[in-house]
Coordinates of all heavy atoms in Angstrom, one line a residue:
M433 N 137.7 51.7 88.0 CA 137.8 52.1 89.4 C 138.2 50.9 90.2 O 137.7 49.8 90.0 CB 136.4 52.6 89.8 CG 136.4 53.4 91.1 SD 134.8 53.8 91.7 CE 134.1 54.8 90.4
A434 N 139.0 51.2 91.2 CA 139.5 50.1 92.0 C 138.4 49.5 92.9 O 137.4 50.2 93.2 CB 140.6 50.6 93.0
M435 N 138.5 48.2 93.2 CA 137.5 47.5 93.9 C 137.1 48.2 95.3 O 136.0 48.4 95.6 CB 138.0 46.1 94.2 CG 137.1 45.2 95.0 SD 135.8 44.6 93.9 CE 135.3 43.2 94.8
L436 N 138.2 48.6 96.0 CA 137.9 49.2 97.3 C 137.2 50.5 97.2 O 136.3 50.9 97.9 CB 139.3 49.4 98.0 CG 139.2 50.0 99.4 CD1 138.4 49.0 100.3 CD2 140.6 50.2 100.0
E437 N 137.6 51.3 96.1 CA 137.0 52.6 95.9 C 135.5 52.4 95.6 O 134.6 53.1 96.0 CB 137.7 53.3 94.7 CG 137.5 54.8 94.7 CD 138.1 55.4 93.5 OE1 139.1 54.9 93.0 OE2 137.7 56.5 93.2
K438 N 135.2 51.4 94.8 CA 133.8 51.1 94.5 C 133.0 50.7 95.7 O 131.9 51.2 95.9 CB 133.7 49.9 93.5 CG 133.6 50.2 92.1 CD 133.4 49.0 91.2 CE 133.9 49.2 89.8 NZ 133.9 48.0 89.1
Q439 N 133.6 49.9 96.6 CA 133.0 49.5 97.8 C 132.7 50.7 98.7 O 131.6 50.8 99.3 CB 133.9 48.5 98.6 CG 134.2 47.3 97.9 CD 133.3 46.1 98.1 OE1 132.2 46.4 98.6 NE2 133.7 44.9 97.9
L440 N 133.7 51.6 98.8 CA 133.5 52.8 99.6 C 132.4 53.7 99.1 O 131.6 54.3 99.8 CB 134.8 53.6 99.7 CG 135.9 52.9 100.6 CD1 137.2 53.6 100.5 CD2 135.4 52.9 102.1
K441 N 132.4 53.9 97.7 CA 131.3 54.7 97.1 C 129.9 54.1 97.4 O 129.0 54.8 97.7 CB 131.5 54.8 95.6 CG 132.6 55.8 95.2 CD 132.1 56.6 94.0 CE 132.9 57.9 93.9 NZ 134.0 57.9 93.0
L442 N 129.9 52.8 97.3 CA 128.6 52.1 97.6 C 128.2 52.3 99.1 O 127.0 52.5 99.4 CB 128.7 50.6 97.3 CG 127.5 49.7 97.5 CD1 126.4 50.2 96.5 CD2 127.8 48.3 97.3
L443 N 129.2 52.2 99.9 CA 128.9 52.4 101.4 C 128.4 53.8 101.6 O 127.4 54.0 102.4 CB 130.2 52.3 102.2 CG 130.6 50.9 102.6 CD1 131.9 50.9 103.4 CD2 129.5 50.2 103.4
K444 N 129.0 54.8 101.0 CA 128.6 56.2 101.1 C 127.2 56.4 100.6 O 126.4 57.1 101.2 CB 129.6 57.1 100.4 CG 129.3 58.6 100.6 CD 129.7 59.1 102.0 CE 129.7 60.6 102.2 NZ 128.5 61.1 102.9
T445 N 126.9 55.8 99.4 CA 125.6 56.0 98.8 C 124.5 55.4 99.8 O 123.5 56.0 100.0 CB 125.5 55.2 97.5 OG1 126.6 55.6 96.7 CG2 124.2 55.5 96.8
T446 N 124.8 54.2 100.3 CA 123.9 53.5 101.2 C 123.7 54.3 102.5 O 122.6 54.6 102.9 CB 124.4 52.1 101.6 OG1 124.7 51.4 100.4 CG2 123.4 51.3 102.4
F447 N 124.8 54.8 103.0 CA 124.8 55.6 104.3 C 123.9 56.9 104.0 O 123.0 57.2 104.8 CB 126.2 56.1 104.7 CG 126.2 56.9 105.9 CD1 126.3 56.3 107.2 CD2 126.2 58.3 105.8 CE1 126.4 57.1 108.3 CE2 126.3 59.1 107.0 CZ 126.4 58.5 108.2
D448 N 124.2 57.6 102.9 CA 123.4 58.8 102.6 C 121.9 58.6 102.5 O 121.1 59.4 102.9 CB 124.0 59.5 101.3 CG 125.3 60.1 101.6 OD1 125.7 60.3 102.8 OD2 126.0 60.4 100.6
K449 N 121.6 57.4 101.8 CA 120.2 57.1 101.6 C 119.4 57.0 102.9 O 118.3 57.5 102.9 CB 120.2 55.8 100.8 CG 118.8 55.3 100.4 CD 119.0 54.1 99.5 CE 117.9 53.1 99.6 NZ 118.3 51.8 98.9
Y450 N 120.0 56.4 103.9 CA 119.3 56.2 105.2 C 119.5 57.4 106.1 O 118.6 57.8 106.8 CB 119.7 54.9 105.8 CG 119.2 53.7 105.0 CD1 119.9 53.2 104.0 CD2 117.9 53.3 105.2 CE1 119.4 52.2 103.1 CE2 117.4 52.3 104.4 CZ 118.1 51.7 103.4 OH 117.6 50.8 102.6
A451 N 120.7 57.9 106.1 CA 121.0 59.0 107.0 C 120.2 60.3 106.7 O 119.9 61.1 107.6 CB 122.5 59.4 107.0
G452 N 119.7 60.4 105.5 CA 119.0 61.6 105.1 C 117.5 61.5 105.4 O 116.7 62.4 105.1
K453 N 117.1 60.4 106.1 CA 115.6 60.2 106.3 C 115.1 61.2 107.4 O 113.9 61.6 107.3 CB 115.3 58.8 106.7 CG 115.4 57.9 105.4 CD 115.0 56.5 105.7 CE 115.0 55.7 104.5 NZ 113.9 54.8 104.3
D454 N 115.9 61.5 108.4 CA 115.4 62.5 109.3 C 116.3 63.8 109.2 O 117.1 63.9 108.2 CB 115.4 62.0 110.8 CG 116.8 61.7 111.3 OD1 117.8 62.1 110.8 OD2 116.9 61.0 112.4
G455 N 116.2 64.7 110.1 CA 116.9 66.0 110.0 C 118.3 65.9 109.7 O 118.8 66.6 108.8
D456 N 119.1 65.1 110.4 CA 120.6 65.1 110.4 C 121.1 64.2 109.3 O 121.1 63.0 109.5 CB 121.1 64.8 111.7 CG 122.7 64.9 111.7 OD1 123.2 65.2 110.7 OD2 123.2 64.6 112.8
K457 N 121.5 64.7 108.1 CA 121.9 63.8 107.1 C 123.3 63.3 107.2 O 123.8 62.6 106.4 CB 121.6 64.4 105.7 CG 122.4 65.6 105.4 CD 122.0 66.1 104.0 CE 122.6 67.4 103.6 NZ 124.1 67.6 104.0
D458 N 124.0 63.7 108.2 CA 125.4 63.3 108.4 C 125.6 62.1 109.4 O 126.7 61.7 109.7 CB 126.3 64.5 108.9 CG 126.4 65.6 107.8 OD1 126.5 65.2 106.6 OD2 126.3 66.7 108.2
S459 N 124.4 61.7 109.9 CA 124.5 60.6 110.9 C 123.3 59.7 110.8 O 122.2 60.2 110.3 CB 124.7 61.1 112.3 OG 123.6 61.8 112.7
L460 N 123.4 58.5 111.3 CA 122.3 57.6 111.3 C 121.7 57.5 112.7 O 122.5 57.4 113.7 CB 122.7 56.1 111.0 CG 123.1 55.8 109.6 CD1 123.8 54.4 109.5 CD2 121.9 55.8 108.6
S461 N 120.4 57.7 112.9 CA 119.8 57.5 114.1 C 119.5 56.1 114.3 O 119.6 55.3 113.3 CB 118.5 58.3 114.2 OG 117.6 57.8 113.2
K462 N 119.0 55.7 115.4 CA 118.7 54.3 115.6 C 117.6 53.8 114.7 O 117.7 52.7 114.2 CB 118.3 54.0 117.1 CG 118.4 52.5 117.5 CD 118.1 52.3 118.9 CE 119.2 52.6 119.9 NZ 118.9 52.3 121.3
A463 N 116.6 54.6 114.5 CA 115.5 54.3 113.6 C 116.0 54.1 112.1 O 115.6 53.2 111.4 CB 114.4 55.3 113.6
E464 N 116.9 55.0 111.7 CA 117.5 54.9 110.4 C 118.3 53.6 110.2 O 118.3 53.0 109.2 CB 118.3 56.1 110.1 CG 117.5 57.4 109.9 CD 118.3 58.7 109.9 OE1 119.4 58.7 110.4 OE2 117.8 59.7 109.4
L465 N 119.1 53.3 111.3 CA 119.9 52.1 111.3 C 119.0 50.9 111.2 O 119.3 49.9 110.4 CB 120.8 52.0 112.5 CG 121.7 50.8 112.5 CD1 122.9 51.1 111.6 CD2 122.3 50.6 113.9
A466 N 117.9 50.9 111.9 CA 116.9 49.8 111.8 C 116.4 49.6 110.4 O 116.3 48.5 109.9 CB 115.8 50.0 112.8
D467 N 116.1 50.7 109.8 CA 115.6 50.7 108.4 C 116.7 50.1 107.5 O 116.4 49.3 106.6 CB 115.4 52.2 107.9 CG 114.0 52.5 107.9 OD1 113.2 51.7 108.4 OD2 113.6 53.6 107.3
L468 N 117.9 50.6 107.6 CA 119.0 50.1 106.8 C 119.2 48.6 106.9 O 119.3 47.9 105.9 CB 120.3 50.8 107.2 CG 121.6 50.7 106.3 CD1 122.4 51.9 106.4 CD2 122.4 49.4 106.7
F469 N 119.2 48.1 108.2 CA 119.3 46.7 108.4 C 118.2 45.9 107.7 O 118.4 44.9 107.0 CB 119.3 46.3 109.9 CG 120.7 46.5 110.5 CD1 120.8 46.6 111.9 CD2 121.8 46.5 109.8 CE1 122.0 46.8 112.6 CE2 123.1 46.7 110.4 CZ 123.1 46.8 111.8
H470 N 117.0 46.4 107.9 CA 115.8 45.8 107.4 C 115.8 45.6 105.9 O 115.5 44.5 105.4 CB 114.6 46.6 107.9 CG 113.3 45.9 107.5 ND1 112.9 44.8 108.2 CD2 112.3 46.2 106.6 CE1 111.7 44.4 107.6 NE2 111.3 45.3 106.7
V471 N 116.3 46.6 105.2 CA 116.2 46.6 103.8 C 117.5 46.0 103.2 O 117.5 45.2 102.3 CB 116.0 48.0 103.2 CG1 116.0 48.0 101.7 CG2 114.7 48.6 103.7
E472 N 118.7 46.5 103.7 CA 120.0 46.1 103.0 C 120.6 44.9 103.6 O 121.3 44.2 102.8 CB 121.0 47.3 103.2 CG 120.4 48.7 102.8 CD 120.3 48.8 101.3 OE1 120.9 48.1 100.5 OE2 119.5 49.7 100.9
I473 N 120.4 44.6 104.9 CA 121.1 43.4 105.4 C 120.1 42.6 106.3 O 120.2 42.6 107.5 CB 122.3 43.8 106.4 CG1 122.9 45.1 105.9 CG2 123.3 42.7 106.4 CD1 124.1 45.6 106.9
P474 N 119.1 42.0 105.6 CA 118.1 41.3 106.3 C 118.6 40.3 107.4 O 117.9 40.0 108.4 CB 117.2 40.6 105.3 CG 117.7 41.2 104.0 CD 119.0 41.9 104.2
E475 N 119.8 39.7 107.1 CA 120.4 38.8 108.0 C 120.6 39.4 109.4 O 120.7 38.7 110.4 CB 121.7 38.2 107.5 CG 121.7 37.7 106.1 CD 122.1 38.8 105.1 OE1 123.2 39.2 105.0 OE2 121.2 39.3 104.4
M476 N 120.8 40.7 109.4 CA 121.2 41.4 110.6 C 119.9 42.0 111.2 O 120.0 42.7 112.3 CB 122.1 42.6 110.3 CG 123.4 42.2 109.5 SD 124.7 41.7 110.6 CE 125.0 43.2 111.5
D477 N 118.8 41.8 110.6 CA 117.5 42.5 111.1 C 117.0 41.6 112.2 O 116.1 40.7 112.0 CB 116.6 42.5 109.9 CG 115.4 43.4 110.3 OD1 115.5 44.2 111.2 OD2 114.3 43.2 109.6
G478 N 117.4 42.0 113.4 CA 117.0 41.2 114.6 C 115.9 41.9 115.4 O 115.2 42.8 115.0
D479 N 115.8 41.5 116.7 CA 114.9 42.1 117.6 C 115.5 43.4 118.1 O 116.6 43.8 117.8 CB 114.5 41.2 118.7 CG 115.7 40.7 119.5 OD1 116.8 41.3 119.4 OD2 115.6 39.6 120.1
K480 N 114.7 44.1 119.0 CA 115.1 45.4 119.5 C 116.4 45.4 120.3 O 117.2 46.2 120.2 CB 114.0 46.0 120.3 CG 114.2 47.5 120.5 CD 113.1 48.1 121.5 CE 113.5 49.5 121.9 NZ 114.8 49.6 122.6
Q481 N 116.5 44.3 121.1 CA 117.7 44.2 121.9 C 118.9 44.0 121.1 O 120.0 44.6 121.4 CB 117.5 42.9 122.8 CG 118.5 42.9 124.0 CD 118.4 41.6 124.8 OE1 117.6 40.7 124.5 NE2 119.3 41.4 125.7
Q482 N 118.8 43.3 120.0 CA 119.9 43.1 119.1 C 120.3 44.4 118.4 O 121.5 44.8 118.3 CB 119.6 42.1 118.0 CG 120.7 41.2 117.6 CD 120.3 40.2 116.6 OE1 119.1 40.0 116.3 NE2 121.2 39.4 116.1
L483 N 119.3 45.2 118.0 CA 119.5 46.5 117.4 C 120.2 47.4 118.4 O 121.2 48.1 118.0 CB 118.2 47.1 117.0 CG 118.3 48.5 116.3 CD1 118.9 48.4 115.0 CD2 116.9 49.1 116.2
D484 N 119.7 47.4 119.7 CA 120.4 48.2 120.7 C 121.9 47.9 120.8 O 122.7 48.8 120.9 CB 119.7 48.0 122.0 CG 118.3 48.7 122.1 OD1 118.1 49.5 121.2 OD2 117.6 48.5 123.0
Q485 N 122.2 46.6 120.8 CA 123.6 46.2 120.9 C 124.4 46.6 119.7 O 125.5 47.1 119.9 CB 123.6 44.6 121.0 CG 123.5 44.1 122.4 CD 123.4 42.6 122.5 OE1 123.5 41.9 121.4 NE2 123.4 42.1 123.7
F486 N 123.8 46.5 118.5 CA 124.6 46.9 117.3 C 124.8 48.4 117.3 O 125.9 48.9 117.0 CB 123.8 46.5 116.0 CG 124.0 45.2 115.6 CD1 122.9 44.3 115.3 CD2 125.3 44.7 115.3 CE1 123.1 43.0 114.9 CE2 125.5 43.4 114.9 CZ 124.4 42.6 114.7
F487 N 123.7 49.1 117.7 CA 123.8 50.5 117.7 C 124.9 51.0 118.7 O 125.7 51.9 118.4 CB 122.5 51.2 118.1 CG 122.4 52.6 117.8 CD1 122.2 53.1 116.5 CD2 122.7 53.6 118.8 CE1 122.1 54.4 116.2 CE2 122.6 54.9 118.5 CZ 122.4 55.4 117.2
A488 N 124.9 50.4 119.9 CA 125.9 50.8 120.9 C 127.3 50.4 120.4 O 128.3 51.2 120.6 CB 125.6 50.0 122.2
G489 N 127.5 49.3 119.7 CA 128.7 48.9 119.1 C 129.2 49.9 118.1 O 130.4 50.2 117.9
L490 N 128.3 50.3 117.2 CA 128.6 51.2 116.1 C 129.0 52.6 116.6 O 129.8 53.3 116.1 CB 127.4 51.4 115.2 CG 127.2 50.2 114.2 CD1 125.9 50.4 113.5 CD2 128.3 50.3 113.2
D491 N 128.2 53.1 117.6 CA 128.3 54.5 118.1 C 129.6 54.6 119.0 O 129.5 54.7 120.2 CB 127.1 54.8 118.9 CG 127.1 56.3 119.3 OD1 127.9 57.1 118.8 OD2 126.2 56.7 120.1
G492 N 130.8 54.6 118.3 CA 132.0 54.6 119.0 C 132.2 55.7 120.0 O 132.7 55.5 121.1
D493 N 131.8 56.9 119.7 CA 132.0 58.1 120.6 C 130.8 58.3 121.5 O 130.7 59.3 122.2 CB 132.4 59.3 119.8 CG 131.3 59.8 118.8 OD1 130.2 59.1 118.8 OD2 131.5 60.7 118.0
K494 N 129.8 57.4 121.4 CA 128.6 57.4 122.3 C 127.9 58.8 122.3 O 127.4 59.3 123.3 CB 129.0 57.1 123.8 CG 129.9 55.9 123.9 CD 129.0 54.6 123.8 CE 129.8 53.4 123.7 NZ 129.4 52.4 122.8
D495 N 127.7 59.3 121.1 CA 126.9 60.6 121.0 C 125.5 60.3 120.6 O 124.8 61.3 120.3 CB 127.6 61.6 120.1 CG 127.7 61.2 118.7 OD1 127.3 60.0 118.4 OD2 128.1 62.0 117.8
G496 N 125.1 59.1 120.5 CA 123.7 58.7 120.2 C 123.4 58.7 118.8 O 122.2 58.6 118.4
K497 N 124.4 58.8 117.9 CA 124.2 58.7 116.5 C 125.4 58.1 115.8 O 126.5 58.1 116.4 CB 123.8 60.0 115.8 CG 124.7 61.1 116.2 CD 124.1 62.5 115.9 CE 125.1 63.6 116.3 NZ 124.7 64.9 116.1
V498 N 125.2 57.5 114.6 CA 126.3 56.8 113.9 C 126.8 57.7 112.8 O 126.0 57.9 111.8 CB 125.8 55.4 113.5 CG1 126.9 54.8 112.6 CG2 125.5 54.5 114.7
S499 N 128.0 58.1 112.9 CA 128.6 59.0 111.8 C 129.1 58.1 110.7 O 129.2 56.8 110.8 CB 129.7 59.8 112.3 OG 130.7 58.9 112.8
F500 N 129.5 58.7 109.5 CA 130.0 57.9 108.4 C 131.2 57.1 108.8 O 131.3 55.9 108.5 CB 130.2 58.7 107.2 CG 130.6 57.9 106.0 CD1 129.7 56.9 105.5 CD2 131.8 58.1 105.4 CE1 130.1 56.2 104.4 CE2 132.2 57.3 104.3 CZ 131.3 56.3 103.8
P501 N 132.2 57.7 109.5 CA 133.4 57.0 109.9 C 133.1 55.8 110.8 O 133.7 54.7 110.6 CB 134.3 58.0 110.6 CG 133.9 59.3 110.1 CD 132.4 59.2 109.8
E502 N 132.1 56.0 111.7 CA 131.7 54.9 112.5 C 131.1 53.8 111.7 O 131.3 52.6 111.9 CB 130.7 55.4 113.6 CG 131.4 56.2 114.7 CD 130.5 56.9 115.6 OE1 129.3 57.1 115.3 OE2 130.9 57.3 116.7
F503 N 130.3 54.2 110.7 CA 129.6 53.2 109.8 C 130.6 52.4 109.0 O 130.5 51.2 108.8 CB 128.6 54.0 108.9 CG 127.8 53.1 108.0 CD1 126.9 52.3 108.5 CD2 128.1 53.2 106.6 CE1 126.1 51.5 107.6 CE2 127.3 52.4 105.8 CZ 126.4 51.5 106.2
V504 N 131.6 53.1 108.5 CA 132.7 52.5 107.7 C 133.4 51.4 108.5 O 133.7 50.3 108.0 CB 133.7 53.5 107.1 CG1 134.9 52.9 106.5 CG2 133.0 54.4 106.0
Q505 N 133.7 51.8 109.7 CA 134.4 50.8 110.6 C 133.6 49.5 110.7 O 134.1 48.4 110.6 CB 134.6 51.5 111.9 CG 135.9 51.2 112.6 CD 136.2 52.1 113.7 OE1 135.3 52.7 114.3 NE2 137.5 52.2 114.1
F506 N 132.3 49.7 110.9 CA 131.4 48.6 111.0 C 131.4 47.8 109.8 O 131.5 46.5 109.8 CB 130.0 49.1 111.4 CG 128.9 48.1 111.1 CD1 128.7 47.1 112.0 CD2 128.1 48.3 110.0 CE1 127.7 46.2 111.7 CE2 127.0 47.4 109.8 CZ 126.8 46.3 110.7
A507 N 131.3 48.5 108.6 CA 131.2 47.8 107.3 C 132.4 47.0 107.0 O 132.4 45.9 106.5 CB 130.9 48.8 106.2
A508 N 133.6 47.6 107.4 CA 134.9 46.9 107.2 C 134.9 45.6 108.0 O 135.4 44.6 107.5 CB 136.0 47.8 107.6
T509 N 134.5 45.7 109.2 CA 134.4 44.5 110.1 C 133.5 43.5 109.5 O 133.9 42.3 109.4 CB 133.9 44.9 111.5 OG1 134.6 46.0 112.0 CG2 134.0 43.7 112.4
L510 N 132.4 43.9 109.0 CA 131.5 42.9 108.3 C 132.1 42.3 107.1 O 132.0 41.1 107.0 CB 130.2 43.7 107.8 CG 129.0 43.7 108.7 CD1 127.8 44.2 107.9 CD2 128.6 42.3 109.2
M511 N 132.8 43.1 106.3 CA 133.4 42.6 105.1 C 134.5 41.5 105.4 O 134.6 40.5 104.8 CB 134.0 43.7 104.3 CG 133.0 44.4 103.5 SD 133.8 45.6 102.4 CE 132.7 47.0 102.6
L512 N 135.2 41.8 106.5 CA 136.2 40.9 106.9 C 135.6 39.6 107.4 O 136.0 38.5 107.1 CB 137.1 41.5 108.1 CG 138.1 42.6 107.6 CD1 138.7 43.2 108.9 CD2 139.1 42.0 106.7
L513 N 134.5 39.7 108.2 CA 133.8 38.6 108.7 C 133.3 37.7 107.5 O 133.4 36.5 107.5 CB 132.6 39.0 109.5 CG 132.9 39.4 110.9 CD1 131.6 39.9 111.6 CD2 133.5 38.3 111.7
Y514 N 132.7 38.4 106.5 CA 132.2 37.7 105.3 C 133.2 37.4 104.3 O 132.9 36.8 103.2 CB 131.0 38.4 104.7 CG 129.8 38.4 105.5 CD1 129.3 39.4 106.3 CD2 129.0 37.2 105.5 CE1 128.2 39.4 107.0 CE2 127.8 37.1 106.3 CZ 127.4 38.2 107.0 OH 126.3 38.2 107.8
N515 N 134.5 37.8 104.6 CA 135.6 37.6 103.6 C 135.3 38.2 102.3 O 135.6 37.6 101.2 CB 135.8 36.1 103.5 CG 137.2 35.7 103.7 OD1 138.1 36.6 103.7 ND2 137.5 34.5 103.9
A516 N 134.8 39.4 102.2 CA 134.3 40.0 101.0 C 135.5 40.7 100.2 O 135.3 41.0 99.1 CB 133.2 41.0 101.2
F517 N 136.6 40.8 100.9 CA 137.7 41.5 100.2 C 138.5 40.5 99.3 O 138.7 39.4 99.6 CB 138.7 42.1 101.2 CG 138.2 43.5 101.7 CD1 138.0 43.7 103.0 CD2 137.9 44.5 100.8 CE1 137.6 44.9 103.5 CE2 137.5 45.7 101.3 CZ 137.3 45.9 102.6
Ligands
CA713 CA1 128.6 58.5 117.1

């Protein structure tokens, strides 16, 4: 499997794991995002203000939840920042 495909599958698995914690399994609520950061990306696990900022940045269409495409955009930005590709 191609590297990018693996990364995307991993992203989807991670997204699904946290998005499924409350009613709507197609999006991340702020609490679910906080959980995800806390467990998967401890470096990003900041205070509430920081979380609010991240959430606002992720929620591109401002509907109060983070969809998978919004999450992928964020992850791609992170990967570029960390030079993971
Ligand atoms: Ca959204």
Side-chain angles (χ1 to χ4, degrees):
M433 199 189 294
M435 181 78 158
L436 183 61
E437 201 183 338
K438 265 190 205 165
Q439 301 267 20
L440 284 172
K441 280 223 160 99
L442 181 65
L443 277 181
K444 184 75 172 106
T445 309
T446 307
F447 180 88
D448 286 346
K449 184 170 148 194
Y450 291 90
K453 287 186 178 222
D454 68 15
D456 182 1
K457 61 177 175 46
D458 295 322
S459 63
L460 290 168
S461 64
K462 199 180 280 183
E464 289 168 339
L465 185 73
D467 258 12
L468 189 152
F469 277 162
H470 186 68
V471 178
E472 310 288 340
I473 332 176
E475 312 89 73
M476 307 270 299
D477 190 22
D479 54 21
K480 192 185 171 301
Q481 197 189 351
Q482 212 174 0
L483 178 70
D484 286 348
Q485 275 176 357
F486 275 126
F487 194 83
L490 280 171
D491 185 14
D493 60 6
K494 307 287 171 222
D495 65 352
K497 50 198 181 181
V498 173
S499 63
F500 186 62
E502 287 169 340
F503 181 69
V504 166
Q505 219 164 20
F506 161 76
T509 308
L510 263 191
M511 281 185 223
L512 287 173
L513 282 175
Y514 285 105
N515 232 343
F517 279 122

